[in-house]
Amino acid sequence: MKNSILTIMKKEFVRFFTDRRMVLTTVIMPGLMIYLLYSFMGSGLASQFETDEDYVSNVYAVDLPESVRAMEEGAPVEFTQVSAEDVDKSLDALENGEAGFDLLAVFPKDFDAQVAAYDVAAGGEAPAVKLYYNSTDSDSQSSYHVMTGLLDTYESALANKFDVNPGEDTYDLATEEDMSAQIFSMMVPMLMMVFLFSGCMAVAPESIAGEKERGTIATLLVTPMKRSHLAIGKIISLSAIAILSGLSSFLGTMLSLPKMMGDMEGVNANVYKMTDYILVLLVVLSTVLVIITLVSIISAFARNVKEATGWVTPVMIISMLLGVTSMVESLCMTDPVWFLIPLYNSAQSMNGIFSMDVNVVNIVVTVVSNVCYAGIGVFVLAKMFDSEKVMFSK
Amino acid sequence: MKELLKVQNLRKTFKISAKQQKIERTKQRLKVAVDDLSFTAYEGEVFGLLGPNGAGKTTTLRIMSALVKPDKGDVLVDGASVVKNPEEVRGKIGFLTSELKLEEFFTPNYLFQFFSELHGVDKAVAETRKQNLFEKFGITKFAEVKVGDLSTGMKQKISLVISIVHDPDIIIFDEPTNGLDVLTAKVVTDFLLELKGQGKTIVVSTHIFSLIEKICDRVGVIIDGKMAVCDTLDNLTAEKPLEEKFFDIFAERAGGIDEK
């Protein structure tokens, strides 16, 4: 009666897909929310640190030397000479964010003469320029960078013995692929572990502990269906739903991650080939099977959904910690034996794929071991469905 | 007559939790729910299990329907053992108890189709059976309404219909009229009589004497997990009404099994 597996799967799908609220909260919302959240975060962060390219910094200067004033031409900066008596008032205004300027530069009197007279070899105290700014104001922060850049260039020009990376040539040899691989391999495995677990948590406790709580699982248990068929039907259908939820989050992440990085040049998901995505999908499928089985077993022990969710939460934290290992190089092992550890193997395999350092043996070990763990889990779940102590505990 | 359902020396104990021990003020760790219980239901007869609450009626029925396992003994359902072939047993019986709930999200139509598939009933046969049963119980006009939106009586009718989707020869009903209004209870009672007329073997547990008197051929009185008396309804009610007889038996309760 293999049909009973299909019947159970069909029932789970009907239950899920005809409930618009469940579809919305489990499949559509995660991806959409992640996309919007990351995009807004990226825009917010970018606007925090970026200023208008045409913006001209308004710099108040005390004892502005001629050499620096000459730089005004060709630089996005406009100087206004103020007297030394105005310094305190200007600092207060800058601190309170009420200043009509972006930065206050205080030069020593006779700056140019002091610079000319200064002997580096003598090691005396060099003439100091003080730049006051407010880092919480993006214009002020930007003006600070403009001024330090300007003064550094001036300082270099005074004793130009050699240049580093002169001209317009490209010296950073990282390719677009390298940059994307670095960003995605660091972020995505950890995020995927969280999203996949969240997807599983959204469906499994409700389907197992919920049915137990409502007394509907007993109605299934008096039918001639094998307990193992019930377990397999539940695991496969719940995995499929959890994968949809995970894929929704995955899509949201891949599409919005470049935006979160402030549209960093070169970072995009197009650098990966179809085979990379197929490998990711294989790892994700096997990972979801393991998580769903684990959550289902815990849910079968629980008396109700609330209890199941409470028991699953610590496991989710462990899963997140294992996901974080992909961000720490010293925890990234390459020996295949390490890839027998469930969840760790998934995070590491995804890390390998996204960093374009695919180790086929390790991925095979991951997928095969995960399927084996899920098989053992199905066996345990079937035994639990057959145990009156577990299924009818009050 | 063919022995369609044979209960043999059934024993079932449950562990008493520390909390329950406190409530019941007992130091016993085990509660004997069913103790060396034996009886037989013959083909085409209605066997009634009568007893007070906690006597072990429901536990007995749950073992008979292969939902729980006995500690000792066995039940043979048309030759199939609940211990050795529980799946075969579940395919042969229709079991109804208040513990078995229906998913409130689904409609009666969907549930009938779903359970028919689990029992391996042919689609066309299931459709005809559904139309007949829905018509008989007045479910037709609620067929596409979610179970959660229906009344308690209607839910009970749907549960009853779902329990017999596969048209089983052996039907086990636990308190089938419990909590129902008189009209719904009458529909259920009439249906049991109809099933009896069709030659089905029915085991019904209840503490409603009138139901026993109306439908049963033989009666087993269970007290403290033991079969106190097992006899034909005619013999039991020969001298006095069933209710009085039951209280006599309950007062004696130490009596052994007297099966005929």
Side-chain angles (χ1 to χ4, degrees), chain A residues 57-64 78-95 99-107 129-134 139-140 143-144 147 151:
Chain A
S57 298
N58 187 4
V59 175
Y60 277 21
V62 177
D63 296 324
L64 181 71
E78 192 178 284
F79 291 111
T80 305
Q81 178 80 42
V82 291
S83 67
E85 287 81 48
D86 294 332
V87 167
D88 288 343
K89 206 168 73 182
S90 300
L91 288 179
D92 283 345
L94 203 57
E95 189 180 343
F101 58 96
D102 301 318
L103 183 139
L104 177 69
V106 181
F107 292 87
V129 181
K130 293 170 183 170
L131 302 177
Y132 296 99
Y133 69 107
N134 187 335
D139 290 340
S140 183
S143 300
Y144 173 74
M147 273 306 285
L151 292 172

mmCIF file of all heavy atoms in Angstrom, chain A residues 57-64 78-95 99-107 129-134 139-140 143-144 147 151:
data_model
loop_
_atom_site.group_PDB
_atom_site.id
_atom_site.type_symbol
_atom_site.label_atom_id
_atom_site.label_comp_id
_atom_site.label_asym_id
_atom_site.label_seq_id
_atom_site.Cartn_x
_atom_site.Cartn_y
_atom_site.Cartn_z
ATOM 1 N N SER A 57 32.286 70.531 0.109
ATOM 2 C CA SER A 57 32.400 70.647 1.568
ATOM 3 C C SER A 57 32.612 72.107 1.961
ATOM 4 O O SER A 57 33.454 72.801 1.370
ATOM 5 C CB SER A 57 33.587 69.820 2.060
ATOM 6 O OG SER A 57 33.373 68.482 1.753
ATOM 7 N N ASN A 58 31.853 72.501 2.929
ATOM 8 C CA ASN A 58 31.971 73.866 3.425
ATOM 9 C C ASN A 58 32.869 73.851 4.668
ATOM 10 O O ASN A 58 32.458 73.374 5.733
ATOM 11 C CB ASN A 58 30.562 74.382 3.753
ATOM 12 C CG ASN A 58 30.561 75.845 4.105
ATOM 13 O OD1 ASN A 58 31.611 76.505 4.042
ATOM 14 N ND2 ASN A 58 29.404 76.363 4.504
ATOM 15 N N VAL A 59 34.102 74.310 4.510
ATOM 16 C CA VAL A 59 35.079 74.201 5.588
ATOM 17 C C VAL A 59 35.406 75.585 6.154
ATOM 18 O O VAL A 59 35.779 76.496 5.394
ATOM 19 C CB VAL A 59 36.366 73.510 5.092
ATOM 20 C CG1 VAL A 59 37.444 73.508 6.165
ATOM 21 C CG2 VAL A 59 36.055 72.103 4.625
ATOM 22 N N TYR A 60 35.211 75.709 7.460
ATOM 23 C CA TYR A 60 35.629 76.937 8.133
ATOM 24 C C TYR A 60 37.085 76.726 8.537
ATOM 25 O O TYR A 60 37.436 75.659 9.057
ATOM 26 C CB TYR A 60 34.783 77.205 9.384
ATOM 27 C CG TYR A 60 33.461 77.904 9.109
ATOM 28 C CD1 TYR A 60 32.886 77.876 7.841
ATOM 29 C CD2 TYR A 60 32.798 78.615 10.113
ATOM 30 C CE1 TYR A 60 31.686 78.529 7.593
ATOM 31 C CE2 TYR A 60 31.601 79.261 9.876
ATOM 32 C CZ TYR A 60 31.041 79.207 8.605
ATOM 33 O OH TYR A 60 29.852 79.841 8.367
ATOM 34 N N ALA A 61 37.895 77.729 8.329
ATOM 35 C CA ALA A 61 39.321 77.555 8.628
ATOM 36 C C ALA A 61 39.865 78.743 9.413
ATOM 37 O O ALA A 61 39.533 79.895 9.121
ATOM 38 C CB ALA A 61 40.114 77.386 7.340
ATOM 39 N N VAL A 62 40.663 78.435 10.413
ATOM 40 C CA VAL A 62 41.330 79.467 11.199
ATOM 41 C C VAL A 62 42.781 79.510 10.710
ATOM 42 O O VAL A 62 43.431 78.455 10.638
ATOM 43 C CB VAL A 62 41.271 79.125 12.714
ATOM 44 C CG1 VAL A 62 42.040 80.180 13.531
ATOM 45 C CG2 VAL A 62 39.833 79.026 13.188
ATOM 46 N N ASP A 63 43.242 80.701 10.404
ATOM 47 C CA ASP A 63 44.599 80.915 9.902
ATOM 48 C C ASP A 63 44.878 80.049 8.656
ATOM 49 O O ASP A 63 45.892 79.335 8.589
ATOM 50 C CB ASP A 63 45.648 80.597 10.998
ATOM 51 C CG ASP A 63 45.520 81.539 12.177
ATOM 52 O OD1 ASP A 63 45.209 82.731 11.950
ATOM 53 O OD2 ASP A 63 45.682 81.068 13.328
ATOM 54 N N LEU A 64 43.948 80.101 7.730
ATOM 55 C CA LEU A 64 44.079 79.306 6.500
ATOM 56 C C LEU A 64 45.314 79.741 5.704
ATOM 57 O O LEU A 64 45.408 80.893 5.281
ATOM 58 C CB LEU A 64 42.819 79.474 5.644
ATOM 59 C CG LEU A 64 42.783 78.700 4.339
ATOM 60 C CD1 LEU A 64 42.628 77.192 4.604
ATOM 61 C CD2 LEU A 64 41.615 79.182 3.482
ATOM 62 N N GLU A 78 35.147 74.273 -0.138
ATOM 63 C CA GLU A 78 35.067 75.736 -0.162
ATOM 64 C C GLU A 78 35.461 76.244 1.219
ATOM 65 O O GLU A 78 34.849 75.840 2.224
ATOM 66 C CB GLU A 78 33.627 76.139 -0.495
ATOM 67 C CG GLU A 78 33.456 77.595 -0.831
ATOM 68 C CD GLU A 78 31.996 77.881 -1.200
ATOM 69 O OE1 GLU A 78 31.583 77.531 -2.324
ATOM 70 O OE2 GLU A 78 31.280 78.413 -0.331
ATOM 71 N N PHE A 79 36.489 77.051 1.265
ATOM 72 C CA PHE A 79 36.980 77.517 2.566
ATOM 73 C C PHE A 79 36.352 78.862 2.949
ATOM 74 O O PHE A 79 36.125 79.712 2.100
ATOM 75 C CB PHE A 79 38.509 77.689 2.520
ATOM 76 C CG PHE A 79 39.238 76.374 2.407
ATOM 77 C CD1 PHE A 79 39.919 76.037 1.246
ATOM 78 C CD2 PHE A 79 39.243 75.473 3.475
ATOM 79 C CE1 PHE A 79 40.583 74.830 1.132
ATOM 80 C CE2 PHE A 79 39.921 74.265 3.359
ATOM 81 C CZ PHE A 79 40.585 73.940 2.194
ATOM 82 N N THR A 80 36.124 79.011 4.254
ATOM 83 C CA THR A 80 35.680 80.303 4.788
ATOM 84 C C THR A 80 36.604 80.637 5.953
ATOM 85 O O THR A 80 36.738 79.826 6.892
ATOM 86 C CB THR A 80 34.215 80.218 5.307
ATOM 87 O OG1 THR A 80 33.421 79.730 4.235
ATOM 88 C CG2 THR A 80 33.700 81.560 5.779
ATOM 89 N N GLN A 81 37.242 81.737 5.840
ATOM 90 C CA GLN A 81 38.202 82.129 6.880
ATOM 91 C C GLN A 81 37.422 82.628 8.104
ATOM 92 O O GLN A 81 36.516 83.449 7.990
ATOM 93 C CB GLN A 81 39.094 83.256 6.335
ATOM 94 C CG GLN A 81 40.106 83.797 7.316
ATOM 95 C CD GLN A 81 41.342 82.890 7.418
ATOM 96 O OE1 GLN A 81 41.840 82.405 6.407
ATOM 97 N NE2 GLN A 81 41.815 82.681 8.631
ATOM 98 N N VAL A 82 37.745 82.056 9.287
ATOM 99 C CA VAL A 82 37.133 82.562 10.528
ATOM 100 C C VAL A 82 38.251 82.919 11.491
ATOM 101 O O VAL A 82 39.376 82.405 11.386
ATOM 102 C CB VAL A 82 36.169 81.536 11.174
ATOM 103 C CG1 VAL A 82 34.923 81.346 10.336
ATOM 104 C CG2 VAL A 82 36.862 80.221 11.445
ATOM 105 N N SER A 83 37.914 83.742 12.480
ATOM 106 C CA SER A 83 38.953 84.166 13.430
ATOM 107 C C SER A 83 39.066 83.162 14.576
ATOM 108 O O SER A 83 38.142 82.364 14.825
ATOM 109 C CB SER A 83 38.623 85.552 13.983
ATOM 110 O OG SER A 83 37.469 85.453 14.780
ATOM 111 N N ALA A 84 40.156 83.209 15.271
ATOM 112 C CA ALA A 84 40.407 82.285 16.383
ATOM 113 C C ALA A 84 39.379 82.448 17.503
ATOM 114 O O ALA A 84 39.067 81.491 18.226
ATOM 115 C CB ALA A 84 41.815 82.510 16.924
ATOM 116 N N GLU A 85 38.792 83.642 17.621
ATOM 117 C CA GLU A 85 37.783 83.879 18.684
ATOM 118 C C GLU A 85 36.499 83.093 18.411
ATOM 119 O O GLU A 85 35.738 82.803 19.338
ATOM 120 C CB GLU A 85 37.436 85.381 18.769
ATOM 121 C CG GLU A 85 38.515 86.257 19.383
ATOM 122 C CD GLU A 85 39.587 86.600 18.363
ATOM 123 O OE1 GLU A 85 39.243 87.014 17.245
ATOM 124 O OE2 GLU A 85 40.790 86.403 18.668
ATOM 125 N N ASP A 86 36.276 82.777 17.149
ATOM 126 C CA ASP A 86 35.030 82.078 16.800
ATOM 127 C C ASP A 86 35.117 80.557 16.997
ATOM 128 O O ASP A 86 34.124 79.844 16.790
ATOM 129 C CB ASP A 86 34.676 82.352 15.328
ATOM 130 C CG ASP A 86 34.326 83.821 15.109
ATOM 131 O OD1 ASP A 86 33.848 84.433 16.072
ATOM 132 O OD2 ASP A 86 34.555 84.309 13.988
ATOM 133 N N VAL A 87 36.291 80.064 17.388
ATOM 134 C CA VAL A 87 36.493 78.605 17.450
ATOM 135 C C VAL A 87 35.508 77.936 18.409
ATOM 136 O O VAL A 87 34.820 76.963 18.041
ATOM 137 C CB VAL A 87 37.956 78.267 17.840
ATOM 138 C CG1 VAL A 87 38.092 76.796 18.217
ATOM 139 C CG2 VAL A 87 38.883 78.595 16.688
ATOM 140 N N ASP A 88 35.416 78.442 19.650
ATOM 141 C CA ASP A 88 34.542 77.795 20.650
ATOM 142 C C ASP A 88 33.091 77.747 20.178
ATOM 143 O O ASP A 88 32.417 76.719 20.298
ATOM 144 C CB ASP A 88 34.639 78.530 21.985
ATOM 145 C CG ASP A 88 35.983 78.265 22.660
ATOM 146 O OD1 ASP A 88 36.646 77.279 22.236
ATOM 147 O OD2 ASP A 88 36.368 79.024 23.561
ATOM 148 N N LYS A 89 32.630 78.881 19.650
ATOM 149 C CA LYS A 89 31.245 78.961 19.169
ATOM 150 C C LYS A 89 31.024 77.960 18.021
ATOM 151 O O LYS A 89 30.021 77.251 17.976
ATOM 152 C CB LYS A 89 30.958 80.391 18.681
ATOM 153 C CG LYS A 89 29.486 80.780 18.763
ATOM 154 C CD LYS A 89 29.300 82.262 18.546
ATOM 155 C CE LYS A 89 29.526 82.620 17.071
ATOM 156 N NZ LYS A 89 29.396 84.056 16.802
ATOM 157 N N SER A 90 32.015 77.888 17.146
ATOM 158 C CA SER A 90 31.899 76.984 15.990
ATOM 159 C C SER A 90 31.907 75.520 16.438
ATOM 160 O O SER A 90 31.160 74.688 15.905
ATOM 161 C CB SER A 90 33.072 77.205 15.016
ATOM 162 O OG SER A 90 33.053 78.528 14.562
ATOM 163 N N LEU A 91 32.750 75.220 17.436
ATOM 164 C CA LEU A 91 32.802 73.824 17.931
ATOM 165 C C LEU A 91 31.472 73.412 18.547
ATOM 166 O O LEU A 91 30.999 72.291 18.342
ATOM 167 C CB LEU A 91 33.932 73.666 18.957
ATOM 168 C CG LEU A 91 35.356 73.706 18.399
ATOM 169 C CD1 LEU A 91 36.387 73.564 19.523
ATOM 170 C CD2 LEU A 91 35.573 72.610 17.372
ATOM 171 N N ASP A 92 30.866 74.334 19.330
ATOM 172 C CA ASP A 92 29.558 74.034 19.944
ATOM 173 C C ASP A 92 28.525 73.749 18.859
ATOM 174 O O ASP A 92 27.752 72.781 18.956
ATOM 175 C CB ASP A 92 29.085 75.222 20.785
ATOM 176 C CG ASP A 92 29.822 75.267 22.118
ATOM 177 O OD1 ASP A 92 30.450 74.236 22.457
ATOM 178 O OD2 ASP A 92 29.782 76.324 22.789
ATOM 179 N N ALA A 93 28.520 74.601 17.838
ATOM 180 C CA ALA A 93 27.540 74.435 16.747
ATOM 181 C C ALA A 93 27.749 73.112 16.027
ATOM 182 O O ALA A 93 26.799 72.386 15.716
ATOM 183 C CB ALA A 93 27.667 75.597 15.774
ATOM 184 N N LEU A 94 29.028 72.749 15.819
ATOM 185 C CA LEU A 94 29.344 71.490 15.134
ATOM 186 C C LEU A 94 28.909 70.282 15.979
ATOM 187 O O LEU A 94 28.339 69.311 15.467
ATOM 188 C CB LEU A 94 30.863 71.437 14.880
ATOM 189 C CG LEU A 94 31.357 70.528 13.751
ATOM 190 C CD1 LEU A 94 30.709 70.891 12.431
ATOM 191 C CD2 LEU A 94 32.877 70.658 13.623
ATOM 192 N N GLU A 95 29.176 70.405 17.283
ATOM 193 C CA GLU A 95 28.807 69.312 18.194
ATOM 194 C C GLU A 95 27.288 69.111 18.232
ATOM 195 O O GLU A 95 26.803 67.990 18.272
ATOM 196 C CB GLU A 95 29.340 69.630 19.594
ATOM 197 C CG GLU A 95 29.192 68.470 20.564
ATOM 198 C CD GLU A 95 29.724 68.809 21.948
ATOM 199 O OE1 GLU A 95 30.483 69.798 22.084
ATOM 200 O OE2 GLU A 95 29.360 68.091 22.885
ATOM 201 N N ALA A 99 25.647 73.573 12.937
ATOM 202 C CA ALA A 99 26.597 74.420 12.223
ATOM 203 C C ALA A 99 26.171 74.606 10.770
ATOM 204 O O ALA A 99 25.600 73.711 10.174
ATOM 205 C CB ALA A 99 27.982 73.785 12.272
ATOM 206 N N GLY A 100 26.488 75.765 10.248
ATOM 207 C CA GLY A 100 26.196 76.023 8.836
ATOM 208 C C GLY A 100 27.371 75.615 7.972
ATOM 209 O O GLY A 100 27.466 76.009 6.814
ATOM 210 N N PHE A 101 28.297 74.881 8.538
ATOM 211 C CA PHE A 101 29.470 74.395 7.801
ATOM 212 C C PHE A 101 29.691 72.925 8.168
ATOM 213 O O PHE A 101 29.019 72.387 9.050
ATOM 214 C CB PHE A 101 30.703 75.236 8.160
ATOM 215 C CG PHE A 101 31.018 75.233 9.633
ATOM 216 C CD1 PHE A 101 31.952 74.350 10.151
ATOM 217 C CD2 PHE A 101 30.376 76.104 10.510
ATOM 218 C CE1 PHE A 101 32.228 74.332 11.508
ATOM 219 C CE2 PHE A 101 30.654 76.065 11.883
ATOM 220 C CZ PHE A 101 31.579 75.184 12.376
ATOM 221 N N ASP A 102 30.645 72.261 7.485
ATOM 222 C CA ASP A 102 30.829 70.820 7.691
ATOM 223 C C ASP A 102 32.022 70.497 8.572
ATOM 224 O O ASP A 102 32.033 69.460 9.248
ATOM 225 C CB ASP A 102 31.022 70.124 6.335
ATOM 226 C CG ASP A 102 29.828 70.338 5.426
ATOM 227 O OD1 ASP A 102 28.688 70.259 5.917
ATOM 228 O OD2 ASP A 102 30.037 70.594 4.223
ATOM 229 N N LEU A 103 33.016 71.347 8.563
ATOM 230 C CA LEU A 103 34.260 71.000 9.264
ATOM 231 C C LEU A 103 34.982 72.285 9.662
ATOM 232 O O LEU A 103 34.903 73.299 8.952
ATOM 233 C CB LEU A 103 35.125 70.156 8.325
ATOM 234 C CG LEU A 103 36.449 69.616 8.833
ATOM 235 C CD1 LEU A 103 36.642 68.188 8.345
ATOM 236 C CD2 LEU A 103 37.627 70.477 8.346
ATOM 237 N N LEU A 104 35.660 72.204 10.808
ATOM 238 C CA LEU A 104 36.458 73.356 11.233
ATOM 239 C C LEU A 104 37.919 72.946 11.225
ATOM 240 O O LEU A 104 38.314 72.005 11.920
ATOM 241 C CB LEU A 104 36.042 73.797 12.654
ATOM 242 C CG LEU A 104 36.855 74.955 13.242
ATOM 243 C CD1 LEU A 104 36.565 76.271 12.513
ATOM 244 C CD2 LEU A 104 36.570 75.132 14.734
ATOM 245 N N ALA A 105 38.724 73.659 10.414
ATOM 246 C CA ALA A 105 40.153 73.352 10.337
ATOM 247 C C ALA A 105 40.933 74.472 11.030
ATOM 248 O O ALA A 105 40.739 75.651 10.700
ATOM 249 C CB ALA A 105 40.582 73.236 8.886
ATOM 250 N N VAL A 106 41.742 74.074 12.007
ATOM 251 C CA VAL A 106 42.527 75.085 12.720
ATOM 252 C C VAL A 106 43.998 74.866 12.373
ATOM 253 O O VAL A 106 44.579 73.831 12.731
ATOM 254 C CB VAL A 106 42.292 74.987 14.251
ATOM 255 C CG1 VAL A 106 43.103 76.065 14.987
ATOM 256 C CG2 VAL A 106 40.804 75.121 14.570
ATOM 257 N N PHE A 107 44.556 75.844 11.656
ATOM 258 C CA PHE A 107 45.970 75.752 11.255
ATOM 259 C C PHE A 107 46.824 76.565 12.223
ATOM 260 O O PHE A 107 46.355 77.569 12.791
ATOM 261 C CB PHE A 107 46.154 76.325 9.833
ATOM 262 C CG PHE A 107 45.506 75.475 8.758
ATOM 263 C CD1 PHE A 107 44.172 75.660 8.410
ATOM 264 C CD2 PHE A 107 46.241 74.497 8.105
ATOM 265 C CE1 PHE A 107 43.586 74.891 7.434
ATOM 266 C CE2 PHE A 107 45.662 73.724 7.115
ATOM 267 C CZ PHE A 107 44.340 73.914 6.778
ATOM 268 N N VAL A 129 47.828 70.315 12.286
ATOM 269 C CA VAL A 129 46.564 70.881 11.813
ATOM 270 C C VAL A 129 45.441 70.129 12.534
ATOM 271 O O VAL A 129 45.466 68.900 12.609
ATOM 272 C CB VAL A 129 46.403 70.685 10.286
ATOM 273 C CG1 VAL A 129 45.096 71.306 9.820
ATOM 274 C CG2 VAL A 129 47.580 71.287 9.548
ATOM 275 N N LYS A 130 44.491 70.873 13.103
ATOM 276 C CA LYS A 130 43.378 70.213 13.813
ATOM 277 C C LYS A 130 42.122 70.309 12.972
ATOM 278 O O LYS A 130 41.713 71.399 12.572
ATOM 279 C CB LYS A 130 43.162 70.890 15.167
ATOM 280 C CG LYS A 130 44.341 70.663 16.124
ATOM 281 C CD LYS A 130 44.218 71.530 17.353
ATOM 282 C CE LYS A 130 45.451 71.316 18.240
ATOM 283 N NZ LYS A 130 45.506 72.299 19.325
ATOM 284 N N LEU A 131 41.522 69.118 12.710
ATOM 285 C CA LEU A 131 40.288 69.075 11.924
ATOM 286 C C LEU A 131 39.140 68.612 12.826
ATOM 287 O O LEU A 131 39.123 67.481 13.297
ATOM 288 C CB LEU A 131 40.433 68.090 10.747
ATOM 289 C CG LEU A 131 41.567 68.350 9.754
ATOM 290 C CD1 LEU A 131 41.608 67.239 8.703
ATOM 291 C CD2 LEU A 131 41.395 69.704 9.074
ATOM 292 N N TYR A 132 38.206 69.514 13.092
ATOM 293 C CA TYR A 132 37.058 69.178 13.941
ATOM 294 C C TYR A 132 35.865 68.863 13.039
ATOM 295 O O TYR A 132 35.538 69.642 12.139
ATOM 296 C CB TYR A 132 36.711 70.336 14.869
ATOM 297 C CG TYR A 132 37.823 70.656 15.864
ATOM 298 C CD1 TYR A 132 38.714 71.703 15.617
ATOM 299 C CD2 TYR A 132 37.960 69.918 17.035
ATOM 300 C CE1 TYR A 132 39.730 72.003 16.519
ATOM 301 C CE2 TYR A 132 38.981 70.212 17.948
ATOM 302 C CZ TYR A 132 39.859 71.254 17.678
ATOM 303 O OH TYR A 132 40.858 71.543 18.556
ATOM 304 N N TYR A 133 35.208 67.709 13.330
ATOM 305 C CA TYR A 133 34.048 67.318 12.517
ATOM 306 C C TYR A 133 33.083 66.516 13.382
ATOM 307 O O TYR A 133 33.398 66.164 14.526
ATOM 308 C CB TYR A 133 34.504 66.500 11.295
ATOM 309 C CG TYR A 133 35.039 65.120 11.621
ATOM 310 C CD1 TYR A 133 34.305 63.968 11.333
ATOM 311 C CD2 TYR A 133 36.284 64.967 12.234
ATOM 312 C CE1 TYR A 133 34.788 62.717 11.639
ATOM 313 C CE2 TYR A 133 36.769 63.707 12.554
ATOM 314 C CZ TYR A 133 36.020 62.586 12.246
ATOM 315 O OH TYR A 133 36.498 61.351 12.564
ATOM 316 N N ASN A 134 31.932 66.217 12.827
ATOM 317 C CA ASN A 134 30.921 65.444 13.562
ATOM 318 C C ASN A 134 30.606 64.173 12.738
ATOM 319 O O ASN A 134 29.963 64.252 11.684
ATOM 320 C CB ASN A 134 29.644 66.283 13.749
ATOM 321 C CG ASN A 134 28.636 65.594 14.643
ATOM 322 O OD1 ASN A 134 28.634 64.370 14.769
ATOM 323 N ND2 ASN A 134 27.762 66.381 15.271
ATOM 324 N N ASP A 139 27.645 64.562 5.905
ATOM 325 C CA ASP A 139 28.377 65.607 5.172
ATOM 326 C C ASP A 139 29.661 65.967 5.901
ATOM 327 O O ASP A 139 30.716 66.167 5.272
ATOM 328 C CB ASP A 139 27.497 66.864 5.010
ATOM 329 C CG ASP A 139 26.356 66.604 4.031
ATOM 330 O OD1 ASP A 139 26.484 65.651 3.236
ATOM 331 O OD2 ASP A 139 25.355 67.350 4.070
ATOM 332 N N SER A 140 29.571 66.028 7.215
ATOM 333 C CA SER A 140 30.745 66.379 8.010
ATOM 334 C C SER A 140 31.793 65.267 7.922
ATOM 335 O O SER A 140 32.987 65.517 7.759
ATOM 336 C CB SER A 140 30.313 66.601 9.469
ATOM 337 O OG SER A 140 31.402 67.010 10.239
ATOM 338 N N SER A 143 33.391 65.440 4.585
ATOM 339 C CA SER A 143 34.314 66.578 4.504
ATOM 340 C C SER A 143 35.629 66.256 5.197
ATOM 341 O O SER A 143 36.698 66.692 4.763
ATOM 342 C CB SER A 143 33.674 67.810 5.150
ATOM 343 O OG SER A 143 32.492 68.126 4.469
ATOM 344 N N TYR A 144 35.518 65.479 6.271
ATOM 345 C CA TYR A 144 36.732 65.079 6.997
ATOM 346 C C TYR A 144 37.639 64.261 6.065
ATOM 347 O O TYR A 144 38.853 64.478 6.001
ATOM 348 C CB TYR A 144 36.347 64.271 8.233
ATOM 349 C CG TYR A 144 37.532 63.674 8.964
ATOM 350 C CD1 TYR A 144 38.378 64.466 9.720
ATOM 351 C CD2 TYR A 144 37.816 62.311 8.876
ATOM 352 C CE1 TYR A 144 39.467 63.933 10.389
ATOM 353 C CE2 TYR A 144 38.898 61.752 9.531
ATOM 354 C CZ TYR A 144 39.722 62.568 10.281
ATOM 355 O OH TYR A 144 40.807 62.035 10.933
ATOM 356 N N MET A 147 39.203 66.512 3.423
ATOM 357 C CA MET A 147 40.289 67.355 3.963
ATOM 358 C C MET A 147 41.542 66.541 4.279
ATOM 359 O O MET A 147 42.668 66.978 3.982
ATOM 360 C CB MET A 147 39.808 68.075 5.227
ATOM 361 C CG MET A 147 39.113 69.403 4.972
ATOM 362 S SD MET A 147 40.088 70.552 3.969
ATOM 363 C CE MET A 147 41.312 71.111 5.133
ATOM 364 N N LEU A 151 45.123 67.135 2.540
ATOM 365 C CA LEU A 151 46.333 67.457 3.310
ATOM 366 C C LEU A 151 47.400 66.360 3.149
ATOM 367 O O LEU A 151 48.582 66.649 3.107
ATOM 368 C CB LEU A 151 45.984 67.675 4.789
ATOM 369 C CG LEU A 151 45.134 68.934 5.059
ATOM 370 C CD1 LEU A 151 44.656 68.974 6.510
ATOM 371 C CD2 LEU A 151 45.913 70.202 4.730
#
